[in-house]
Amino acid sequence: MGVVLSLALMRSMRRTLLLGIALGAFLFLVGLSYSSVDENQIRSLVESLPPALQAFVKGSDIASPSGYLGSTFIHPITLSIMAATAIAGGAASARDVETGVAELMLSRPLRRTAWLGAELIAMLVQVTVVAVMGLVGALIAITTVDALAPVSAGSLFLTALPLWLLFAGIGAVTALAASLSRTGAKAIGWGTAFALVAYALDYLAQVWGVAEPLGPLSVMHWYRPASILGQGTVPGSTWAVLIGVALVAGALALAITSRREVAP
Amino acid sequence: MGAVAAIRASGLGKSYGSGPPALADVDLEVEPGERLGFLGPNGAGKTTFIRCALGILRPTTGSVEVLGHDVATDRLAALAQVGYVPGDLGMIRQVSGRRMLDALARLHPRPPVLRDRLLTALDLSQADLGKRIRDYSTGMRQKLGLVAALQHDPPVIILDEPTAGLDPVMQARFLQVLDERAREGRTVFFSSHVLGEVDELCDRVAMVRGGRLLLVRDVDELRRARMRTVEVLFDGDVDPATYRVDGMGDVRVEGHVHHFTLSGDPGPLLTGLGPLSPRDITIEAARLEDVFRSLYLGDGD
């Protein structure tokens, strides 16, 4: 398993570092921009926006330090970078089947579950590296911008942890799709579709009363960074859902892979 | 059969959906130390057979054993005895050749005792190994795959069109390496449609077509059974009836040159020609290619 894991990490290292640097820089720059924010102007601007636009910040008070920084964790750029990391990592097994790497590896005395287990761990490591680099960017911001002083490093960490779990789950769902696919593109397509549908469902549930009951069906619904930053705690339901999605999808992927054929 | 076969397939079949089977009811036994050429045109089922034998594909019917280990129930023990070069060689392109070789070596329980010899034989330098695989040519990647498969000195070597991408010099060197391994008692299962290689290396051939095993024979036996083309030059007029032997056909006389075909052993013909003192005799060697062609063009049934 260690051999496959080290190979998987080595080949994804450059991509992971680039995505991590991008996320770290983005969170730092957004934090830095808070010093130029006029809280009252921002607050009145947000209140004047139609509900469809307010929903992008999940109803948080983005004029406050915690709301402002919290909104960066659900900014489309943050979500895209995390999703790219998780989906690329989750789809690795299907890409390996497609290119014949899986055939080469599994013609050695290596269990299929050990092979996929290593790919899943590699995906988790990639998501962790990118999330940590993003967290570092945000930490630098709160230590350099006086106006962000009310935000503690601990609450920032507590906000980043469910973000990591959310995308670990999306990566695991992509790995599940990969265990049913023979091409990387197909697995990436399914992983991307899952993330987009989850995002759209969460968004619709906030802006459209009819869709509101469907909100909890989206994995995104359970991640509310601004309220975590504001309250300093993560609801138990958030832990349960995010951990549950990651574990169930990962276990299903392993079960399917133990039976699957791995020829290109 | 008391002895443990290197590879034993019993009633092996593989189907996808409702189409014709990729492999149907194949019974094949490869003895330890044997060199078996596995021949067939594209799509005949060669790769499917190999993938079933390695547990990469799950057979629809039947079973395969490698040195007594059932691949369905004891895959890891079976694969611990095997070195395999796939037809579509997939490598992780972002890592160096050395790292890839090391990684593949660590996945195998047998130490890579032959690596240095193979690297020398196949002209892969330490500098080559230091490069990333994405900078390798097709031939270099293929050489790396061959070293990776054979570096453990596995008792059973399974090769799926292994010389694709190698230049003629490297092909010859690789066949020489295989010949050495076979002389050391290793089993070589050599799937190919390059008949010359199989002819040169193998003792026995198995031919497949449409997923079915057509025949399994000794190469020499096949050669002996095939028609040869013979040309005899005499000093004067000679009646072909004076030296006619069984197996002669299509006799054509052009001046002092006689052309005909001959099946079977040429010994009696040479005995018959001796007293006639021919000036020259040319007997074209029977080639495996002729057998292959005749089988696949329809007269092999």
Side-chain angles (χ1 to χ4, degrees):
Chain A
M1 192 187 232
V3 175
V4 182
L5 176 61
S6 66
L7 285 175
L9 290 176
M10 247 181 280
R11 75 174 156 181
S12 62
M13 189 165 56
R14 183 180 292 190
R15 181 186 67 220
T16 305
L17 288 177
L18 284 175
L19 288 169
I21 289 168
L23 186 60
F26 176 69
L27 292 183
F28 169 67
L29 289 173
V30 173
L32 207 59
S33 70
Y34 188 68
S35 55
S36 61
V37 164
D38 179 325
E39 284 192 35
N40 293 328
Q41 269 187 2
I42 291 280
R43 202 163 281 131
S44 59
L45 174 68
V46 171
E47 280 165 5
S48 68
L49 291 173
L53 291 178
Q54 286 183 29
F56 280 113
V57 293
K58 295 199 174 186
S60 61
D61 175 15
I62 65 162
S64 69
S66 60
Y68 190 81
L69 212 52
S71 68
T72 61
F73 282 82
I74 49 165
H75 191 284
I77 289 180
T78 304
L79 297 181
S80 300
I81 290 173
M82 290 300 293
T85 310
I87 291 169
S93 64
R95 215 170 33 242
D96 280 357
V97 170
E98 181 181 6
T99 57
V101 170
E103 183 179 17
L104 189 71
M105 298 276 181
L106 293 168
S107 62
R108 268 74 185 169
L110 172 70
R111 288 182 198 284
R112 285 182 177 83
T113 46
W115 166 66
L116 185 68
E119 299 273 22
L120 278 174
I121 293 171
M123 180 273 290
L124 290 177
V125 170
Q126 292 161 43
V127 173
T128 305
V129 168
V130 174
V132 165
M133 290 175 83
L135 180 64
V136 168
L139 283 171
I140 295 172
I142 62 167
T143 52
T144 51
V145 178
D146 292 341
L148 289 175
V151 180
S152 70
S155 60
L156 212 51
F157 176 76
L158 208 57
T159 308
L161 198 57
L163 178 78
W164 174 80
L165 261 180
L166 171 68
F167 284 96
I170 289 173
V173 169
T174 308
L176 173 60
S179 68
L180 297 163
S181 310
R182 282 183 189 276
T183 65
K186 204 177 271 184
I188 287 172
W190 281 112
T192 306
F194 175 78
L196 286 177
V197 167
Y199 186 83
L201 197 59
D202 182 40
Y203 176 75
L204 278 178
Q206 291 177 73
V207 299
W208 188 26
V210 176
E212 196 179 345
L214 299 175
L217 293 178
S218 163
V219 71
M220 298 271 187
H221 169 86
W222 301 94
Y223 183 54
R224 292 280 182 272
S227 69
I228 297 170
L229 269 178
Q231 295 163 14
T233 57
V234 181
S237 54
T238 296
W239 292 123
V241 170
L242 297 184
I243 292 172
V245 167
L247 285 182
V248 169
L252 280 174
L254 285 169
I256 291 167
T257 299
S258 69
R259 299 283 312 154
R260 78 167 297 184
E261 297 186 331
V262 290
Chain B
M1 295 280 177
V4 173
I7 301 171
R8 177 180 288 148
S10 311
L12 193 67
K14 177 69 184 172
S15 302
Y16 298 98
S18 56
L23 210 59
D25 202 25
V26 173
D27 290 307
L28 178 64
E29 192 161 313
V30 186
E31 297 300 327
E34 186 180 353
R35 313 161 190 210
L36 183 99
F38 198 52
L39 288 170
N42 293 331
K46 302 188 299 292
T47 301
T48 303
F49 177 90
I50 289 173
R51 286 176 174 162
C52 287
L54 296 167
I56 306 255
L57 293 178
R58 292 179 189 279
T60 315
T61 61
S63 63
V64 194
E65 288 176 13
V66 175
L67 288 173
H69 302 284
D70 188 322
V71 174
T73 57
D74 200 6
R75 193 176 70 91
L76 300 190
L79 294 182
Q81 309 296 326
V82 173
Y84 169 54
V85 181
D88 295 320
L89 186 59
M91 293 270 185
I92 296 175
R93 300 166 66 89
Q94 294 91 334
V95 303
S96 70
R98 184 179 293 109
R99 197 168 282 277
M100 193 75 208
L101 275 186
D102 287 344
L104 292 171
R106 283 170 56 201
L107 289 176
H108 213 285
R110 302 167 71 90
V113 289
L114 290 182
R115 185 191 289 188
D116 291 341
R117 270 174 67 187
L118 290 165
L119 289 173
T120 307
L122 295 175
D123 243 357
L124 268 179
S125 67
Q126 291 301 319
D128 291 334
L129 290 184
K131 291 182 192 166
R132 289 190 183 189
I133 293 174
R134 68 172 168 220
D135 297 325
Y136 277 26
S137 65
T138 309
M140 279 171 76
R141 269 203 301 277
Q142 192 66 16
K143 288 185 207 175
L144 195 68
L146 297 171
V147 175
L150 301 184
Q151 61 181 340
H152 313 280
D153 193 13
V156 180
I157 301 166
I158 299 180
L159 307 154
D160 191 0
E161 302 189 2
T163 55
L166 295 184
D167 62 53
V169 175
M170 282 303 135
Q171 285 181 15
R173 282 202 204 167
F174 178 61
L175 291 180
Q176 201 178 344
V177 168
L178 285 182
D179 186 53
E180 283 169 18
R181 299 327 310 144
R183 285 175 197 279
E184 298 272 333
R186 313 297 177 245
T187 307
V188 178
F189 184 96
F190 191 93
S191 169
S192 179
H193 52 221
V194 182
L195 301 166
E197 293 173 350
V198 175
D199 208 354
E200 189 180 331
L201 180 76
C202 298
D203 321 310
R204 218 160 54 116
V205 291
M207 292 192 180
V208 282
R209 183 173 65 182
R212 293 183 182 278
L213 194 61
L214 290 182
L215 61 84
V216 184
R217 294 280 164 74
D218 285 347
V219 171
D220 286 344
E221 190 186 331
L222 278 174
R223 282 203 200 104
R224 276 199 302 274
R226 295 313 300 167
M227 209 73 88
R228 299 154 198 267
T229 307
V230 183
E231 194 179 278
V232 186
L233 173 64
F234 294 101
D235 283 328
D237 292 336
V238 174
D239 181 357
T242 58
Y243 60 86
R244 178 171 282 282
V245 293
D246 287 345
M248 267 178 69
D250 296 336
V251 180
R252 191 161 43 90
V253 177
E254 290 174 356
H256 296 163
V257 182
H258 296 198
H259 306 267
F260 52 90
T261 58
L262 176 72
S263 62
D265 185 359
L269 172 74
L270 296 175
T271 307
L273 286 171
L276 302 172
S277 304
R279 195 194 300 171
D280 195 12
I281 304 173
T282 306
I283 303 178
E284 188 189 300
R287 295 173 308 159
L288 198 56
E289 193 167 342
D290 301 326
V291 184
F292 188 83
R293 283 214 181 110
S294 65
L295 276 168
Y296 291 113
L297 292 175
D299 68 340
D301 295 334

